[in-house]
Amino acid sequence: QGIRLIFPANSCTISGGGTAVAPFTVDLIEIFRRGDMIAHNIHTFSAQQALISGGMFWVRVTDANGANLNMSGVQAVLPYQTDAIGYENSMQYFIGVAGPILSWGTGQSELTFDETAGTNGEFTIWNIMGGWSNCDAFNQFTGQTPTQFSVKVSNVADYNNTKVFFALDEFSTVAALTTPDIGGVKTYDNSIATGATGKVIAISLVEGMLQFASQDVTVAGNDTFTLEVAPGTVAELETL
C-alpha cells in the first residue's frame, strides 16, 4: 500500500550476537483503513487517550535460518492517506501494546512530516522497531466537548465472544468498547467528541457461527445504541 522501508548497511542483527545469514526476509502488514484496523483487532488508543492515525504497520525481518533479526536505524516512510487533517505535524511514533485489543504506547524515534513528498505528503519514522508501529497524534478535541456512549447487543448473553467497535468518520480513529456497562459495553470516558458521527460494529461468534451488525450513529452524549447481530459472511463483514 505504499510504505517504504529503508535499511542502512548492518542495520539488522541477531540478538545476543552471531552472524545473520543472507538472504533476509521482510514480512510486512500495512494498515490505513479503519476496517482493516478492526479486522486485525486494533484500536487507536494509548491507554484511554484517543489517537488519530496516519498509518500503521507490522514488520518482521528474519535471516536464511529463520532467526528473528533486531533492527537499528531502519526507517519507514508512510504515504499520507488517512483522515488526519490538522494533525499532520503533531504525529508521534507509537509501538503496539499487546492485550485483548491491540493498543499503543509511545515509541522512541523521531517522526517527521514532509508535505511536499509523494502525492499528499509522507511521514518518516527514523528508527523503527520490529512488530507493530503506528504514526499517531493525540486527539485534542479542539472546539469540541468529549463524551462517551454505550452499546447493547440485544441478542447475546454476554460479551465474552462479542466485540464492539466504533469507527469515527472525521478522523482515522477506531475505538473498541471494552468497559462493562449495564447490559452492554461502553467507550472510555471523554474519548469521543459530542456530535461525532461514525459506525458502530458488533461482531459475535454464536455457536461457532459468525454474526454481526452495524449502525450509523451520531453521538449526542451518554447515548445507548442497541444492535442485533445476525448471521453473515466474512465477505459481507468486510463491506461494512
Side-chain angles (χ1 to χ4, degrees), residues 5-121:
L5 302 178
I6 301 171
F7 292 86
N10 304 314
S11 58
C12 295
T13 58
I14 293 178
S15 178
T19 302
V21 180
F24 299 164
T25 298
V26 179
D27 296 304
L28 179 66
I29 298 172
E30 306 167 85
I31 295 179
F32 294 95
R33 296 175 58 253
R34 299 163 182 78
D36 290 333
M37 297 176 199
I38 293 171
H40 285 83
N41 201 35
I42 297 170
H43 71 168
T44 56
F45 275 77
S46 178
Q48 296 190 13
Q49 293 182 276
L51 301 171
I52 296 168
S53 181
M56 61 185 70
F57 61 93
W58 177 88
V59 63
R60 178 181 62 192
V61 182
T62 54
D63 75 356
N65 294 325
N68 288 324
L69 302 183
N70 294 331
M71 292 180 285
S72 178
V74 176
Q75 302 166 28
V77 181
L78 288 71
Y80 180 24
Q81 51 183 301
T82 65
D83 295 316
I85 293 175
Y87 285 88
E88 294 90 345
N89 292 304
S90 300
M91 292 290 174
Q92 304 175 45
Y93 178 45
F94 286 80
I95 56 175
V97 176
I101 303 290
L102 186 76
S103 57
W104 303 97
T106 304
Q108 301 298 314
S109 174
E110 181 184 8
L111 188 154
T112 57
F113 177 63
D114 183 353
E115 64 180 7
T116 66
T119 303
N120 298 308

